[in-house]
Structure formats: structure tokens, C-alpha cells
Amino acid sequence: MQQQIRPHFSIVYTLAELGWTREAKKATMALASFYMRSMSGGTRSSRYEKRAK
């Protein structure tokens, strides 16, 4: 699982390094929502999902 997660957070890190903080924030929220939904069996809607929009 760690091998699947690492590339996604590398993208967020790169966005932040480039100064694209808004995009990094959106990506972080989208990833949090995705992982929370995945871990709950796909039935849970999170506050991160609502913020990312």
C-alpha cells in the first residue's frame, strides 16, 4: 500500500515546491477523501470531499 501512496504525495510535495499552494491544498484534500472513502468501503462522505470542490 505504501508504494501506491508515495507517488501521490510526491505530486503534492512538488506542487508546494513550485509555489502552487492552492493546487497542493486541493490535491491533499482530494487524496484524504479518496483514502478515507477507500478505507471505509466507499460509503463514507468526508468533510474533505466537500472542501475540495
Side-chain angles (χ1 to χ4, degrees):
M1 181 184 236
Q2 185 178 3
Q3 291 175 344
Q4 294 172 337
I5 294 172
R6 187 174 293 149
H8 296 106
F9 286 99
S10 294
I11 292 168
V12 174
Y13 177 82
T14 300
L15 289 171
E17 282 290 305
L18 291 171
W20 296 7
T21 54
R22 184 177 299 170
E23 291 81 1
K25 181 179 177 181
K26 285 183 180 182
T28 302
M29 288 186 193
L31 283 170
S33 176
F34 171 76
Y35 288 118
M36 290 174 81
R37 209 174 30 243
S38 296
M39 295 174 90
S40 69
T43 59
R44 185 175 174 190
S45 177
S46 73
R47 66 177 184 231
Y48 299 107
E49 194 172 274
K50 293 172 188 167
R51 284 185 181 172
K53 292 180 181 179

